[in-house]
Amino acid sequence: MSGALPILIGGPFAAAMVSFLFTGAIGRALSVLLATASAVAALATSIEVMRSGVQIHALAGWGAPLGIELRIDGLAMLMLLLTAGISLAVTTFAAGYLKGDAQPHFWPLWYFLWGALNTVFLVSDIFSLYVCLELITLAAVGGTALSGDRIALSASLRYLMSAIMGSLAYLLGVAMIYAQVGTLDLTQLSGRLGSSWSSGAALSLVTAGLAMKTALFPLHFWLPAAHSLAPAPISAALSAMVVKASFYVLLRFWFQLSEPTSNQLAAHLLGALGMAAVLWGSVQAALQERLKLVVAYSTVAQIGYLFFIFPLFGGALAAGRSEWAQEAWKGGIILILAHAVAKSAMFLVSGALLQTFGSDRISDLKGAAVRAPLTLAAWGIAGISLIGLPPSGGFIAKWLLLTTAIRQEYWLYVAVLLLGGLLASVYVFRVLWHSFLTPEEMPSVSRIPGSMSISILALTVVLLLMGLRPAIPLEFTLIGIPLPAGDLR
Amino acid sequence: MTAQYSVYALAGGLLVGFAFHALAIHTHVLKRILAWNTLGSAAFLVFGAIARRNTGAPDPVPHAIVITGIVVAISSTALALALARRIDEENKK
């Protein structure tokens, strides 16, 4: 157990250092090896969690409150596995996608991002979480600016400014919490934050800051430009993982630290913003002319669904039905996973189409279904999950959310869940429809490296497996679920 | 918090207000970078005051937080300045 943890954190960071210092073939191979080791470590740790439940590790033997503790429950484990899987796919894709001169700049940033993501899911200390989120931001902003042209640079500067505003709001919230309770450890904080006005203000600051970083409508303004102008592998990581990292921290604050039933009004406010995000993001996605912007706006929409977990979970607990809360919890987490896999597949598909046809305008995709059938099939499968059709991870997630919303008679959430799926099908099928049109002359295509196709296909297979065999991730979500132990069934 | 140190917390709160005001009215990139640096310093000042919230020896944990926070603030400021300079160069082309 404790043997795997240093590799989870140290592997990608060591890979970043190696790939920065040695840009040759040996350096490249060594860094891939180090990073892959962390994916193996994630797998090993997950077996441990499955066997014996929540794992706690005190760094250097210093426990909380003075030291920093690593804590791995089911949610953290799923996020680590997700990071490992998507990072492997993105690494494979990037090796084929990036031109030679872009590679030395890409790899260190990418491995730093990977390491920072792993760390954020492991640490159980609200200040360390701040540091990790900043590390993610710095690596992600650097990655966004990689192309070096003016629009991408402006988008990444705006991304950096927004992310730092979010972080500082979070940090002020942490200061207020520490002043009241005198500890930074999440487990020790749990249940000790009273319902005074200052704890309410602290939680509001934290929530607003993290909503900014997660790009919850209307704080999403920085996302479409940044996610669509980054190189495709970075876009995939941004949409799949980076926004989820701050959402993950938000989940910790709402469910581990505060009493979920006590702030139902705030939860419904988040839910309402989520609904607005679903509608606004989906409509915008359907109107875009460029493929990567479609995918980026779709992220704005899909993030909206994630925020349904707050009112649905809290509402169920307030009604005294913890099994309904369990459904909301499971649905929200599976949606994080399903969206991450589907969205990374979609961004990689956009990158592959961009390289095959030399354009990512949807109107230039005529004939693509004949010339790049596998790539478009992957788009279709990822789209099925976003819409929420079986068999896919997205279907399982939306089914669970829909069930609990219907049971609690939250009809507005039910309506938006259904309407959002319909709107998603508009932008998914619009792309497919264009690709099936017959152009006057067939577009000239350039062949893409096999590693790109393999990584895209691997992601779609995972997505289908999540729909066909959902029991394993569902089992994981229950380890360490923030419900009173007696309520578990 | 002991009374003589709460002035630092209040100053921190005031700086937060200044920073948000500056962010609201200025569009120039350097002024915005300065504004969120002010916001960061405000947070550090609040942490400094929190260290003396009880009588007796000061609590070292907020100090450690401020030192780490300064490192993070310097790195992100450096990145923002580098990006701003590159944008400026691209604009001149």
Side-chain angles (χ1 to χ4, degrees):
Chain A
M1 163 62 199
S2 41
L5 278 176
I7 305 173
L8 260 175
I9 298 178
F13 285 142
M17 246 78 99
V18 167
S19 62
F20 181 71
L21 293 174
F22 310 103
T23 47
I26 298 175
R28 183 91 54 76
L30 185 59
S31 56
V32 168
L33 205 67
L34 282 164
T36 313
S38 88
V40 177
L43 204 62
T45 318
S46 72
I47 293 169
E48 198 66 31
V49 171
M50 193 128 73
R51 275 205 199 121
S52 42
V54 179
Q55 304 280 323
I56 295 169
H57 179 76
L59 278 182
W62 289 84
L66 204 55
I68 295 167
E69 276 189 354
L70 305 180
R71 188 172 175 279
I72 313 175
D73 57 6
L75 171 60
M77 201 56 253
L78 283 171
M79 298 306 289
L80 285 170
L81 281 178
L82 183 70
T83 311
I86 288 181
S87 299
L88 283 179
V90 167
T91 306
T92 317
F93 183 90
Y97 180 79
L98 292 168
K99 301 285 171 289
D101 53 338
Q103 299 234 11
H105 302 289
F106 172 83
W107 292 112
L109 285 171
W110 163 240
Y111 289 129
F112 268 121
L113 186 57
W114 186 344
L117 284 166
N118 272 350
T119 317
V120 88
F121 300 132
L122 282 169
V123 294
S124 160
D125 166 295
I126 55 177
F127 181 70
S128 303
L129 284 172
Y130 163 77
V131 177
C132 294
L133 285 177
E134 285 296 62
L135 201 51
I136 291 175
T137 301
L138 292 182
V141 169
T144 310
L146 267 182
S147 75
D149 62 35
R150 207 183 59 80
I151 333 169
L153 288 169
S154 308
S156 46
L157 184 58
R158 197 150 63 130
Y159 176 20
L160 177 63
M161 295 259 197
S162 319
I164 285 178
M165 287 305 299
S167 302
L168 287 174
Y170 173 87
L171 188 62
L172 279 170
V174 168
M176 292 174 78
I177 290 172
Y178 184 77
Q180 277 181 67
V181 190
T183 177
L184 294 165
D185 185 72
L186 264 176
T187 321
Q188 295 197 348
L189 277 169
S190 132
R192 283 178 56 190
L193 206 62
S195 52
S196 64
W197 70 268
S198 62
S199 68
L203 274 180
S204 311
L205 273 171
V206 166
T207 307
L210 292 173
M212 176 76 123
K213 289 175 92 83
T214 316
L216 172 64
F217 179 91
L219 301 173
H220 68 283
F221 53 87
W222 55 268
L223 184 144
H227 283 202
S228 65
L229 291 165
I234 294 283
S235 304
L238 288 178
S239 259
M241 302 307 309
V242 171
V243 287
K244 307 293 165 45
S246 46
F247 184 75
Y248 167 89
V249 178
L250 192 58
L251 281 183
R252 289 285 181 219
F253 268 83
W254 273 70
F255 296 123
Q256 206 166 321
L257 207 143
S258 69
E259 199 62 51
T261 47
S262 64
N263 29 28
Q264 223 8 42
L265 194 69
H268 277 295
L269 178 68
L270 288 180
L273 291 177
M275 287 195 272
V278 170
L279 300 177
W280 171 258
S282 305
V283 170
Q284 285 296 318
L287 294 174
Q288 298 305 316
E289 287 307 319
R290 287 184 44 229
L291 194 55
K292 282 182 89 177
L293 271 173
V294 172
V295 188
Y297 271 108
S298 150
T299 297
V300 173
Q302 298 285 322
I303 282 168
Y305 293 119
L306 295 181
F307 282 84
F308 289 11
I309 189 173
F310 300 107
L312 293 178
F313 190 94
L317 280 192
R321 305 297 292 264
S322 61
E323 70 276 17
W324 296 352
Q326 223 184 83
E327 279 170 352
W329 179 254
K330 284 180 183 167
I333 293 176
I334 300 292
L335 194 61
I336 295 179
L337 307 181
H339 172 252
V341 180
K343 198 42 66 76
S344 50
M346 276 189 159
F347 265 123
L348 297 188
V349 164
S350 314
L353 289 176
L354 177 67
Q355 256 186 21
T356 317
F357 296 99
S359 157
D360 82 332
R361 290 199 165 276
I362 295 175
S363 51
D364 290 344
L365 283 179
K366 285 178 188 163
V370 182
R371 286 304 176 100
L374 267 181
T375 316
L376 276 154
W379 171 275
I381 293 170
I384 281 172
S385 179
L386 286 190
I387 299 166
L389 295 175
S392 67
F395 167 71
I396 306 285
K398 282 207 183 158
W399 180 258
L400 284 162
L401 288 177
L402 203 58
T403 316
T404 181
I406 291 173
R407 287 197 177 141
Q408 298 178 47
E409 301 182 351
Y410 285 145
W411 300 118
L412 211 54
Y413 293 105
V414 174
V416 173
L417 272 165
L418 295 173
L419 193 63
L422 217 57
L423 287 169
S425 62
V426 173
Y427 60 76
V428 168
F429 286 118
R430 183 164 155 257
V431 172
L432 286 179
W433 177 65
H434 270 279
S435 72
F436 275 99
L437 292 179
T438 319
E440 282 108 57
E441 55 180 314
M442 269 312 205
S444 59
V445 297
S446 24
R447 277 182 61 82
I448 55 170
S451 66
M452 285 164 65
S453 319
I454 289 171
S455 56
I456 293 172
L457 288 181
L459 287 172
T460 51
V461 168
V462 170
L463 204 54
L464 291 176
L465 279 179
M466 280 176 67
L468 295 169
R469 290 271 178 279
I472 300 168
L474 283 174
E475 201 67 23
F476 260 127
T477 61
L478 294 179
I479 302 174
I481 180 175
L483 282 172
D487 290 349
L488 279 186
R489 51 187 73 188
Chain B
M1 198 176 297
T2 44
Q4 78 214 76
Y5 295 105
S6 51
V7 64
Y8 294 104
L10 289 175
L14 207 61
L15 279 179
V16 171
F18 286 163
F20 274 109
H21 175 70
L23 279 169
I25 62 169
H26 290 299
T27 50
H28 192 283
V29 63
L30 275 181
K31 287 187 175 162
R32 293 181 75 87
I33 291 173
L34 282 174
W36 56 252
N37 265 285
T38 310
L39 189 56
S41 305
F44 301 151
L45 203 54
V46 172
F47 269 114
I50 287 170
R52 298 301 293 259
R53 69 192 182 287
N54 299 319
T55 45
D59 178 359
V61 173
H63 296 168
I65 287 178
V66 170
I67 291 169
T68 318
I70 289 173
V71 174
V72 173
I74 288 176
S75 332
S76 44
T77 309
L79 178 57
L81 289 174
L83 284 173
R85 235 189 75 185
R86 279 292 297 276
I87 293 171
D88 194 44
E89 280 168 14
E90 292 288 321
N91 279 341
K92 279 183 188 148
K93 270 183 196 166

